[in-house]
Amino acid sequence: MSTELLPPAQPTFVLRGHSAQVHAVHFIQGNTRLLSADAEGWLVSWNLASKRPVAVWRAHGNAVLGIGSWGEDRIITHGRDNKLAVWQLGVRDEEAIGKTLPVDKPPDTTPQPWLLHMLTVNTLNFCSFAMCLDGIPHPYTVHTAIKARNHPPPILIAVPNTMDSGGIDIYQLPSETRAAVIHADRDITTGMVMALGIHTESTKLQVVAGYESGHTMVFVQSDPGAQFQRLYCAQSHTQPSLSRLVLDAIIAKHPLPAAPGIWKTELKPFKVIQTKHSGQQGLQVRSDGRIFATAGWDARLRVYSAKTMKELAVLKWHKVGCYTTAFAEIGNCFLTKVEDGAPVKQEDIEDPDEKTAVRISAVTTVQQRREAKAQSTHWLAAGSKDGKISLWDIY
């Protein structure tokens, strides 16, 4: 058996178009598009089949902290200009949006998607928003929301409190109302909120917060309108948890209330590892929960097992530090047909004969084969200080 070392892994594609460091990447529309956002407020939507931009606009007057998606055609952006915006960007909307990449110096007045909502929020913390479906009972589910793209279900948005940098505001969309406030803990000196997560379990709302002090806390609201209770607090880090940034080279796996019987156990992290690699950030877990990835100041991406926390791969291509990562959604079926100019997933097609026809047609043309390949690939995307986005096909 040969003991010769394999050559280092290389990215499958590199997307070039930003003139400033890339702060956020996010897969949308069943992995047919990749959103990227930079330090100058520009957003680019890339067609993953052709690897070309299909929409480019300046969403914010300052750096973008985070991006997300709501339903099939709504994009959420959070900028350092104290604005959180919701844009309508479906496949049918792309034709009217500019295509000139930021590196080619497009005018600031380039056509933009339709702006649906705008919230004034706190961005002094450098902390990006977190979102989840509104857990209050209503007739929508994730599945029906995809089918009714014009009426996605209500969502909750968590951001640092406007007046108290240690507190948390929770807004509801589309109403644009503040649904709840979590005040800063007066018993523990935590400093500013640096990282947020929000989850729902029926009507129970769970908020996870990482703080400047290195503390991680879990707050739970048992019923709508009730006060939040702090059910968990741990200080695994000696340095701030800056929006999933690990300054002290430690990665910790913490419990959540959704885990059965978790509050009957000792309140401490499940596992804490010393990676010996300071400055890891952009931690993202793949949708199947099996692996997670980090971006590093040392220009390397690291992939870990979510179960064992063991380092599985180190990916090196960029010459300068990386800031963000994103995984493509992993599912059983991503092939789509186009209906009225918009993609429809096979899983949303009720007629078995039509579903079979879509599957067959997806491999009969070059374009559809490319689209099917892009949708089914287990992409890992990384954005870097060099303005480039590397796409890796691993695991």
Side-chain angles (χ1 to χ4, degrees), residues 181-183 185 204-208 217-223 226-233 257 263:
V181 178
I182 302 175
H183 297 287
D185 197 298
K204 182 185 294 183
L205 183 61
Q206 308 147 18
V207 177
V208 184
M217 295 185 180
V218 178
F219 302 91
V220 176
Q221 183 188 54
S222 56
D223 293 297
Q227 292 292 320
F228 276 87
Q229 294 182 326
R230 190 192 79 200
L231 294 186
Y232 176 81
C233 178
W263 305 116

Side-chain angles (χ1 to χ4, degrees), residues 39 62 74 98 105 115 146 150 161 178-179 187 195 314 338 345:
N62 209 322
R74 301 189 182 192
K105 307 297 182 184
L115 181 62
I146 294 173
N150 292 330
N161 184 268
R178 188 164 66 175
D187 299 326
V314 179
V338 174
K345 295 183 179 180

Side-chain angles (χ1 to χ4, degrees), residues 62-366:
N62 209 322
V64 176
L65 293 174
I67 49 181
S69 54
W70 176 19
E72 191 70 26
D73 63 353
R74 301 189 182 192
I75 307 303
I76 304 174
T77 63
H78 186 190
R80 285 294 320 282
D81 55 1
N82 298 312
K83 301 296 183 183
L84 187 143
V86 179
W87 312 84
Q88 180 172 302
L89 185 64
V91 174
R92 289 168 291 183
D93 304 307
E94 294 171 350
E95 185 177 348
I97 311 302
K99 307 292 190 292
T100 305
L101 289 165
V103 72
D104 296 322
K105 307 297 182 184
D108 288 345
T109 56
T110 186
Q112 296 183 340
W114 185 19
L115 181 62
L116 300 176
H117 303 281
M118 179 73 78
L119 296 176
T120 300
V121 296
N122 175 19
T123 56
L124 296 177
N125 300 32
F126 294 91
C127 174
S128 179
F129 74 99
M131 63 171 285
C132 70
L133 291 177
D134 190 342
I136 297 177
H138 48 69
Y140 288 101
T141 65
V142 175
H143 179 74
T144 57
I146 294 173
K147 299 184 70 172
R149 290 179 295 277
N150 292 330
H151 302 283
I155 60 171
L156 298 174
I157 299 285
V159 291
N161 184 268
T162 303
M163 303 300 294
D164 181 0
S165 60
I168 301 165
D169 285 334
I170 300 173
Y171 292 92
Q172 200 256 21
L173 291 176
S175 68
E176 300 187 13
T177 58
R178 188 164 66 175
V181 178
I182 302 175
H183 297 287
D185 197 298
R186 302 306 176 191
D187 299 326
I188 302 174
T189 302
T190 60
M192 297 188 295
V193 176
M194 293 297 191
L196 283 170
I198 184 170
H199 312 275
T200 54
E201 180 188 7
S202 183
T203 58
K204 182 185 294 183
L205 183 61
Q206 308 147 18
V207 177
V208 184
Y211 292 89
E212 187 179 13
S213 62
H215 284 87
T216 298
M217 295 185 180
V218 178
F219 302 91
V220 176
Q221 183 188 54
S222 56
D223 293 297
Q227 292 292 320
F228 276 87
Q229 294 182 326
R230 190 192 79 200
L231 294 186
Y232 176 81
C233 178
Q235 189 176 18
S236 302
H237 304 279
T238 58
Q239 298 291 326
S241 300
L242 296 176
S243 188
R244 300 191 184 97
L245 168 61
V246 186
L247 286 181
D248 54 10
I250 291 174
I251 297 178
K253 182 194 294 187
H254 297 278
L256 278 177
I262 192 62
W263 305 116
K264 298 178 182 178
T265 66
E266 186 178 356
L267 297 184
K268 64 179 182 179
F270 284 139
K271 193 166 188 177
V272 178
I273 62 170
Q274 170 57 256
T275 68
K276 301 181 181 179
H277 306 296
S278 297
Q280 296 187 74
Q281 59 186 333
L283 190 154
Q284 293 290 336
V285 181
R286 198 168 67 179
S287 60
D288 61 1
R290 298 179 63 183
I291 59 175
F292 66 90
T294 63
W297 288 350
D298 59 2
R300 289 168 171 81
L301 309 177
R302 290 180 169 84
V303 181
Y304 297 86
S305 164
K307 182 177 181 179
T308 65
M309 307 279 281
K310 180 182 178 181
E311 186 179 276
L312 303 177
V314 179
L315 307 176
K316 175 70 168 70
W317 181 83
H318 297 276
K319 305 299 183 184
V320 292
C322 297
Y323 291 149
T324 182
T325 64
F327 282 106
E329 188 80 11
I330 302 299
N332 294 326
C333 183
F334 286 103
L335 302 181
T336 63
K337 69 171 185 174
V338 174
E339 185 176 279
D340 297 329
V344 180
K345 295 183 179 180
Q346 271 198 49
E347 60 191 25
D348 298 323
I349 302 174
E350 296 180 358
D351 187 347
D353 294 334
E354 183 182 3
K355 183 177 294 189
T356 302
V358 172
R359 184 182 298 112
I360 294 173
S361 66
V363 296
T364 57
T365 69
V366 172

